[in-house]
Amino acid sequence: MAWNDVSALWQDIALTVLFLVPALLTGALVLRGYAPWPLVRAILWRFRGASALFVLLIAVSVGMGIGLLAQERGLRRGTAQAADKFDLVITAPGSELTAMLATVFLQPADMGLLDGATWDEIAGHDSVALAAPLAFGDSFGASAVVGTTLGFARYLADGQITGRPWQAEGEALIGALVPLEIGAEFTPAHGVGDAVDDHAHGDAHIRVVGRLGRSGTPWDRAILVPIETVWEVHGLANGHAPGTGRLGPPFDAAYFPGAPAVVVHSDALWANYALRSEFTRDRETMAFFPGAVLAQLYGVLGDVRQVMSLMALVTQALVAASVLLGLFILSRLFRRQIALLRALGAPARFVFAVVWCFGAALLLSGALLGLCAGVGTASVLARVVTARTDVLVAAPVGWTEIHFLAVFVSVTLLLSLLPAAIVLRQPVVQGLRS
């Protein structure tokens, strides 16, 4: 473990302890000189039904809060990882967000085309290690059919291909989650979603020859074909002079029909910035980092997150008020037992400790059960989001959720002092008659 990781770990531990200091000090002051545990256990067992219900309510509240916090962090991490392979994207001028959603997350979009001269300039640049044109617009079922190069397919899957790479037009590599088998044939439909025309490419038959490894991105449901196949299916030139019989780059600019986007990878970080600057041209090309666009989107969502955090704070305040009210109600259940203790001469501070420990036992039990419920909630939500978006979301509970739990425990344990104090103000005789 690196020194920075060790330092961050100790900082998180110290912050958690700091949040728990009010609760620890309260417990030390209340229990000083007393050990009311046998009596507290007896009261818990005597009113086990009401106590269990109260613990369950606390657990549900804490579990939902922890689950949502973990899920939000996991979704950010998952979407950021989905853009890792897309260092730089060059498209026709337009919306960076729309282009990013189309290239990284395969969302349908109406985009302009880059011409052959622009492709030649990009592919022939000294700083470009990989340039891959992308062609969208067709689909098969829920899978987008994307025309590209074999180099990009290998780059996207880190070389993990089951079966074999394509060797001719009319062959395809499928993502890890595409419901087809190697050797299967299909006919692509024109369009995506509600605009699908199943009969537009009735003469095209594509055979699956390989499957890409799991990437944890929407490309796991994509079908990759040679870009020449996409162009020819739409009645366009295939990027090469007639009779060449070539598949893949280099493409001939004179026979290059156009591509909505070109994914560019460079071995040097500085080169990516230089390429972005060079290919950001008014009315010609737009070059952007998908990661930077996501960061801007996170910035907008960060403002929303602040509002949501405020709402969560208000919600937790309401939960804390409910906890306080619940403790008042529960204290009425054993009002007679407390009055009997006071009539037998038990010190007021001992009685106070009994009532407070009863509430603390319920709160701590509910918080620990809520932590377990939060882990389960985050796992379930992660699976649902992954299934809906095809972005691999992992949402383990982290220190943010632990801090949330520590604050909740400290605040509610402090609030539980009020019911214990009010119990001591009730008349003993009236309590014995209840």
Side-chain angles (χ1 to χ4, degrees), residues 69-331:
L69 287 175
Q71 181 60 33
E72 190 271 343
R73 188 182 67 256
L75 184 58
R76 288 195 178 209
R77 184 185 297 118
T79 52
Q81 290 176 349
D84 279 349
K85 291 291 186 179
F86 298 81
D87 297 343
L88 179 68
V89 175
I90 302 176
T91 66
S95 168
E96 290 185 353
L97 179 59
T98 299
M100 186 271 294
L101 292 175
T103 55
V104 177
F105 297 99
L106 297 177
Q107 296 299 305
D110 186 12
M111 300 170 59
L113 300 179
L114 299 175
D115 58 22
T118 302
W119 160 257
D120 267 358
E121 188 178 358
I122 296 171
H125 200 286
D126 293 337
S127 299
V128 173
L130 171 69
L134 303 181
F136 312 107
D138 292 338
S139 63
F140 176 74
S143 299
V145 176
V146 183
T148 185
T149 64
L150 184 58
F152 178 74
R154 285 173 169 158
Y155 170 72
L156 188 66
D158 291 324
Q160 300 178 10
I161 299 178
T162 303
R164 66 172 176 83
W166 64 60
Q167 299 173 351
E169 295 183 32
E171 295 183 342
L173 295 172
I174 58 176
L177 301 180
V178 175
L180 289 173
E181 299 296 332
I182 296 177
E185 291 191 0
F186 68 93
T187 298
H190 182 71
V192 180
D194 296 334
V196 165
D197 182 354
D198 293 323
H199 306 290
H201 307 318
D203 296 333
H205 299 282
I206 299 176
R207 182 170 175 266
V208 177
V209 297
R211 184 184 296 273
L212 305 180
R214 180 74 184 272
S215 65
T217 72
W219 286 78
D220 285 333
R221 291 197 183 274
I223 299 175
L224 277 62
V225 299
I227 194 168
E228 292 90 344
T229 300
V230 174
W231 285 333
E232 291 188 347
V233 161
H234 290 86
L236 304 172
N238 66 0
H240 307 285
T244 303
R246 185 178 181 85
L247 189 66
F251 296 106
D252 190 330
Y255 298 92
F256 189 88
V262 175
V263 178
V264 176
H265 169 70
S266 178
D267 295 330
L269 179 61
W270 64 266
N272 286 324
Y273 284 92
L275 289 168
R276 183 186 66 168
S277 177
E278 183 172 348
F279 286 99
T280 299
R281 305 168 182 172
D282 292 339
R283 299 183 181 180
E284 292 186 18
T285 57
M286 176 181 69
F288 64 93
F289 298 136
V293 178
L294 277 174
Q296 295 174 5
L297 183 60
Y298 293 155
V300 175
L301 295 178
D303 296 336
V304 177
R305 188 186 185 190
Q306 291 180 0
V307 176
M308 296 299 293
S309 298
L310 180 60
M311 294 177 62
L313 182 62
V314 173
T315 301
Q316 291 305 313
L318 294 175
V319 171
S322 301
V323 167
L324 183 62
L325 179 61
L327 289 176
F328 277 122
I329 296 173
L330 289 176
S331 65

Side-chain angles (χ1 to χ4, degrees), residues 7-22 24 398-408 410:
S7 177
L9 176 63
W10 280 109
Q11 289 178 6
D12 286 324
I13 293 176
L15 191 59
T16 303
V17 173
L18 180 63
F19 288 146
L20 288 174
V21 163
L24 297 174
W399 284 105
T400 301
E401 293 72 43
I402 300 298
H403 296 161
F404 165 82
L405 185 64
V407 171
F408 178 81
S410 286

